[in-house]
């Protein structure tokens, strides 16, 4: 009997193995492939985009390894549909805790949740004191402001706050209330000026008129006059000069300059 050498069968065995491997690769490549960028056939729990083609995971699901995997939503939360972050947010009246849970926002007695849903505010008649809402002690001659901070009250017209009370504003004769929250509580009537807490009449010299500016003597000289002490002295214009914008001083005409009180031709 003639023995056949087995070495000649080895190339045939390798060829058969390679053919099987190639067939397997072709079969796998023919199966659906889910891309990581929302292209290709949409997986379960996904929907096609309304523009530019492709698909996105449904709300409540997130793309993971080519599949749309359901999010683990904590209690009192909702899915945002965002592809970044946790993918969920807490409902109104709750706040996120360590990106794992939604805890109820503490609202003390006599308070309500703000419209934003992230903070609270005391009811009218109460003011915030640390984590509580305490009753506002309203002094005489005061009213509630409704402001969530501060004392929560303000004094009536004619009164001003002094610590925790409202005291009358002493308005001198010929004065009036300013109704201003800042600065002076009263001011003098037109024609009067404040001197040592009084409103004294403004002495207007000849050739002058009352001035409403908050500074100065309370009067101004007429045009063509200049103030000198408590009087208005008529201006003497040199040749080639004119009154300035206010009319209470003079300056040289264009092309001239002042020299020893005169306007001489410039060089």
């Amino acid at each position: 009997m003639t023995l056949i050498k087995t070495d000649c069968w080895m190339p045939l065995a390798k060829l058969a193995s390679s053919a099987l491997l190639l067939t397997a690769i072709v079969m796998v490549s023919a199966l659906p492939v889910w891309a990581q960028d929302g292209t290709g056939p949409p997986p379960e729990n996904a929907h096609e985009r309304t523009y530019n083609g492709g698909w996105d995971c449904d709300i409540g699901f997130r793309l993971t390894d080519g599949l749309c995997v359901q999010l683990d939503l904590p209690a009192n939360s909702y899915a945002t549909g965002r592809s970044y972050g946790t993918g969920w947010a807490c409902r109104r009246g709750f706040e996120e805790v360590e990106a794992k849970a939604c805890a109820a926002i503490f609202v003390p007695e006599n308070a309500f949740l703000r419209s934003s849903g992230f903070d609270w505010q005391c009811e009218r008649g109460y003011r915030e004191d640390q984590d509580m809402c305490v009753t506002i002690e309203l002094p005489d001659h005061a009213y509630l402001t409704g402001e969530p901070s501060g004392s929560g009250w303000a004094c009536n017209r004619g009164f001003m706050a002094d610590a925790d009370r409202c005291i009358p504003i002493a308005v001198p004769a010929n004065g009036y209330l300013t109704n201003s929250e800042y600065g002076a509580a009263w001011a003098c009537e037109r024609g009067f000026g404040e001197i040592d807490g009084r409103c004294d009449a403004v002495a207007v010299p000849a050739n002058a008129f009352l001035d409403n500016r908050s500074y100065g003597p309370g009067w101004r000289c007429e045009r063509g006059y200049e103030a000198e002490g408590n009087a208005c002295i008529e201006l003497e214009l040199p040749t080639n000069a004119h009154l300035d914008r206010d009319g209470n001083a003079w300056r040289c005409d264009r092309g001239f300059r002042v020299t020893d009180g005169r306007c001489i031709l410039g060089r």
Side-chain angles (χ1 to χ4, degrees), residues 148-167:
S149 59
S151 65
W153 57 267
C155 294
N156 292 332
R157 174 179 165 83
F159 294 83
M160 63 180 181
D162 181 23
D164 57 353
R165 59 183 183 145
C166 291
I167 61 175

Side-chain angles (χ1 to χ4, degrees), residues 25 123 128 138 153-154 214 217 249:
I25 292 174
E123 299 278 1
E128 184 177 338
L138 197 64
W153 57 267
S214 59

Side-chain angles (χ1 to χ4, degrees), residues 130-155:
Q130 296 182 357
D131 292 332
M132 299 184 298
C133 289
V134 297
T135 303
I136 294 175
E137 300 295 336
L138 197 64
D140 294 337
H141 311 296
Y143 61 92
L144 293 172
T145 62
E147 294 294 330
S149 59
S151 65
W153 57 267
C155 294

